[in-house]
Amino acid sequence: MKTKHPYLIYIALLLFFSSNLFAQDNIFKTILDNTQDSFNIESFATENLEVASNELFGVTDEFKESYILEDQNTQEVAAVFARTLLALGAGIGFGDDDTLWCLHAAYYLRAAMFSNSALYVSLGILYSGLSSDSFSRSLLEIQFRALMFTPITRYNQVNFLYGLMVAYAFGADDFDGGGKTDFTRLTLALVVGFQIILTSTLSLMLQTNVLAHINNTFKPESGGEFKSDNTWGFINQNNILALSLVWNLASSKR
């Protein structure tokens, strides 16, 4: 009997420890199953580090939203090819001994569309004056333009303008020594310029005549009539550089 009892004791202890290990394994498995869905150490740490760093550097949601870039192309294409435009502005020019200035307005209508440009026609009115050493001049001019608008920047912020202008004007020269001469003028000019997009409804337009042929008919107070024809190709030399603020009255996307 003395020899059998130790073996029984060993068998009983082995069964006891085996059952305990099995029970512990079940307990750990149960704990893991119940908690693994509710705790994510990696995502928890990442999210909290991001929040902490954002708070540290003042990066709020409002800050992020304020710096989200819009699709510039979508916004500005509407401005580039608006169906109608209204332009109001002023201009200035300098000669050898005289200064020119003007106030002008024009209505633009889109006449044709091309793959990367648009043709506009416009009807405008201009009132201008000239101050010289010996006389001053004032005139009223009716202008017709046919201009191509072609984007030259990636997001169409700037258009290059080029085309023709035909204008008819009438006015008078008042001489410092006395006397007055009425005149009429017919102008054919090559126009170039730029349009700078500010918003979807506003833009700036800069134009000048780079080549022009002018036919003047003068009628002095003393009587008689004489004509003069001039052709010149100076930029802002006896020529007005005109700046306009332009409103898009009706927009259209390509």
Side-chain angles (χ1 to χ4, degrees):
M1 296 295 294
K2 290 183 180 180
T3 59
K4 293 182 179 179
H5 287 170
Y7 292 108
L8 293 175
I9 293 172
Y10 293 151
I11 294 172
L13 290 175
L14 180 60
L15 293 174
F16 174 76
F17 284 118
S18 299
S19 63
N20 282 343
L21 290 174
F22 180 75
Q24 289 178 1
D25 182 67
N26 288 337
I27 291 173
F28 289 139
K29 185 175 185 303
T30 302
I31 294 173
L32 180 61
D33 291 340
N34 291 322
T35 58
Q36 64 179 357
D37 294 333
S38 59
F39 292 93
N40 191 331
I41 296 175
E42 182 180 356
S43 61
F44 177 81
T46 302
E47 291 174 2
N48 281 273
L49 284 174
E50 181 180 359
V51 171
S53 61
N54 288 343
E55 292 178 353
L56 177 63
F57 292 102
V59 182
T60 62
D61 291 339
E62 291 77 9
F63 179 86
K64 292 178 182 178
E65 292 174 359
S66 66
Y67 279 85
I68 294 176
L69 296 178
E70 296 181 357
D71 186 355
Q72 302 261 349
N73 194 37
T74 301
Q75 178 182 357
E76 291 161 350
V77 162
V80 169
F81 296 117
R83 289 191 296 272
T84 55
L85 304 170
L86 176 64
L88 300 174
I92 191 168
F94 301 96
D96 294 333
D97 58 354
D98 45 78
T99 302
L100 299 83
W101 58 269
C102 78
L103 299 174
H104 58 91
Y107 178 82
Y108 289 78
L109 177 65
R110 191 185 67 203
M113 291 283 294
F114 303 96
S115 60
N116 193 36
S117 60
L119 173 65
Y120 282 82
V121 294
S122 72
L123 184 64
I125 187 169
L126 175 144
Y127 178 75
S128 70
L130 181 149
S131 297
S132 181
D133 293 339
S134 59
F135 71 99
S136 62
R137 171 178 296 171
S138 60
L139 65 86
L140 186 66
E141 186 172 73
I142 306 300
Q143 301 177 337
F144 174 81
R145 299 173 189 256
L147 299 176
M148 291 293 296
F149 283 51
T150 302
I152 58 174
T153 57
R154 179 180 178 184
Y155 293 115
N156 300 334
Q157 302 100 327
V158 181
N159 287 330
F160 177 63
L161 316 180
Y162 59 95
L164 296 175
M165 181 193 75
V166 177
Y168 176 79
F170 57 91
D173 293 336
D174 292 315
F175 296 92
D176 295 343
K180 179 180 179 181
T181 298
D182 295 328
F183 68 89
T184 59
R185 172 180 295 172
L186 184 62
T187 302
L188 176 63
L190 174 64
V191 181
V192 297
F194 297 93
Q195 182 190 23
I196 303 172
I197 304 300
L198 302 178
T199 69
S200 60
T201 56
L202 289 177
S203 62
L204 288 176
M205 192 179 295
L206 185 66
Q207 297 183 48
T208 191
N209 301 335
V210 294
L211 181 65
H213 179 77
I214 300 174
N215 177 271
N216 290 310
T217 300
F218 296 97
K219 294 181 179 181
E221 283 184 337
S222 57
E225 179 181 299
F226 65 93
K227 296 183 179 182
S228 69
D229 291 311
N230 296 300
T231 301
W232 48 261
F234 301 99
I235 296 178
N236 205 30
Q237 179 73 18
N238 292 316
N239 181 38
I240 286 178
L241 186 65
L243 179 67
S244 307
L245 182 62
V246 182
W247 285 266
N248 293 357
L249 302 182
S251 298
S252 176
K253 297 181 181 180
R254 284 189 290 184

